[in-house]
Amino acid sequence: MTDGGQPLFRQIAELVENSIIDGSLCEEEQAPSTNELAAFHRINPATAAKGLNALVTDGILYKKRGIGMFVSTGARDTLRVRRRERFALQYIAPLLREADKLGVTTEELKAMLDNWEA
């Protein structure tokens, strides 16, 4: 389970985030345990714990002592907002810069996107 440039703990966090975003892990539902993630992905439990703890720090998960970690209320919306911002920075901004270099107008760009969908 290696994603080139991302550390394993970040990949674990992203997998849990993806489960929250796609609805397979709902708000107030218990997240997979450190040991479950470690066994499934064949990684060190400390690495899985670091990924989950990063989500706790971000407010996406919260801990119930002795029970496990749970998805915070509002986590899905929070993640969607963050991902949309990241999407804009990673894809939209470079697209607009390149379109500007090529003299492509906003209207032409919209038409290209509309045609791409069809």
Side-chain angles (χ1 to χ4, degrees), residues 5 19 26 31 51 64 79 89 100 108-109 111-112 117:
S19 294
C26 298
K64 283 188 180 179
L79 288 170
L89 289 172
D100 187 50
E108 289 172 320
L109 190 55
M112 286 178 187
E117 288 180 340

Side-chain angles (χ1 to χ4, degrees), residues 10-22 24-25 31-32 37 48 51-52 55 60-61 71 79 83:
R10 187 61 220 141
Q11 291 177 52
I12 291 296
E14 194 166 297
L15 285 170
V16 174
E17 286 178 356
N18 289 341
S19 294
I20 294 168
I21 289 171
D22 72 19
S24 59
L25 190 57
L37 289 168
L52 291 176
L55 295 175
I60 302 302
L61 299 179
V71 179
L79 288 170
R83 293 267 181 107

Side-chain angles (χ1 to χ4, degrees), residues 9-10 12-14 16-17 20 49-63 69-80 82-83 86:
F9 82 91
R10 187 61 220 141
I12 291 296
E14 194 166 297
V16 174
E17 286 178 356
I20 294 168
K50 188 173 179 180
L52 291 176
N53 285 325
L55 295 175
V56 170
T57 300
D58 286 347
I60 302 302
L61 299 179
Y62 66 92
K63 294 180 184 181
M69 295 190 196
F70 292 78
V71 179
S72 300
T73 300
R76 185 172 190 229
D77 291 336
T78 299
L79 288 170
R80 291 180 88 190
R82 288 182 193 169
R83 293 267 181 107
R86 194 173 359 164

Side-chain angles (χ1 to χ4, degrees), residues 4 7 11 13 28 31 33 43 51-52 55 60 65 76 92-93 96 101 104-105 109 118:
Q11 291 177 52
E28 299 304 322
S33 72
I43 60 172
L52 291 176
L55 295 175
I60 302 302
R65 190 173 185 91
R76 185 172 190 229
I92 304 299
L96 292 173
K101 285 181 203 173
V104 177
T105 67
L109 190 55

